[in-house]
Amino acid sequence: PGRKPVQTIQITERKRLHLYQFIRDQIAAGRQAFIVYPMIFINDKVDYKNLESGYEEVVEAFPFPPYKVAIVHGQQSDEDKSFNMNAFVAGRANILVSTTVIEVGVDVPNATVMVIESPERFGLSQLHQLRGRVGRSGRMAYAYLMYRKDKTLSEVAEKRLRAIKEFTEFGS
């Protein structure tokens, strides 16, 4: 009850600095952000953003203090995943950098920003589930689909991204 539709915005990497400033503004207002990557490590066979290099970039852009960045992925021990996830849920971390391990079962009403890197790599259901991690309160929430401008998207990927942008569970 009281949830607002999540504003879904498709952007290219050229707007990354503007997006990071928006995240800083949200954190200054007491909010939190997710940044999700399709894979953990660099893969020579596919050219998608990965969590390993993305985490380094995020920590550099959001240095401690004042920012606290947690990381969660499927190759961590259960203890590490639990520690980092609990830090984010409790508000001790402002940003959670992760893979899709946060796709379901994560409820952080204070999180208002979801950044999905290389969204063309995800299926429609995954994109919908990831976007559903934000907007769990009466505050406006935002899902940013961040893709590379120089990357040619397949027709299917274009349709998928257009659909997730236009569709909300509240109707468009």
Side-chain angles (χ1 to χ4, degrees), residues 6-165:
V6 176
Q7 186 174 355
T8 305
I9 304 141
Q10 214 172 310
I11 63 172
T12 65
E13 288 185 336
R14 288 188 327 217
K15 301 277 186 173
R16 187 175 300 278
L17 295 179
H18 295 290
L19 174 59
Y20 282 178
Q21 184 56 53
F22 179 73
I23 293 171
R24 285 185 196 93
D25 294 344
Q26 289 290 298
I27 291 170
R31 310 289 179 258
Q32 293 167 280
F34 291 98
I35 302 177
V36 178
Y37 294 86
M39 59 184 47
I40 300 171
F41 304 110
I42 294 172
N43 183 332
D44 294 336
K45 295 179 183 169
V46 292
D47 187 23
Y48 294 113
K49 292 290 282 188
N50 67 82
L51 181 134
E52 186 177 44
S53 59
Y55 176 74
E56 292 173 14
E57 180 182 302
V58 171
V59 168
E60 186 175 313
F62 297 90
F64 178 83
Y67 303 103
K68 298 173 198 102
V69 181
I71 184 171
V72 175
H73 60 79
Q75 290 189 6
Q76 289 176 306
S77 68
D78 288 342
E79 295 81 26
D80 286 345
K81 276 191 284 199
S82 181
F83 179 84
N84 286 311
M85 182 56 76
N86 288 337
F88 187 69
V89 170
R92 293 188 308 271
N94 315 105
I95 299 170
L96 182 66
V97 174
S98 75
T99 57
T100 58
V101 295
I102 56 99
E103 186 176 351
V104 293
V106 176
D107 186 14
V108 183
N110 197 42
T112 57
V113 180
M114 167 64 70
V115 178
I116 302 171
E117 295 279 355
S118 301
E120 67 275 15
R121 177 72 172 95
F122 299 103
L124 192 55
S125 178
Q126 281 184 306
L127 291 170
H128 181 69
Q129 289 291 335
L130 289 168
R131 184 180 64 181
R133 299 306 96 212
V134 295
R136 297 178 154 259
S137 69
R139 298 181 191 99
M140 275 304 299
Y142 309 87
Y144 286 89
L145 308 176
M146 174 79 73
Y147 66 98
R148 287 188 21 201
K149 182 66 175 165
D150 64 339
K151 189 146 182 95
T152 303
L153 300 178
S154 71
E155 186 177 331
V156 171
E158 292 248 0
K159 286 180 181 178
R160 189 180 317 127
L161 294 178
R162 189 169 44 254
I164 197 68
K165 183 176 180 231

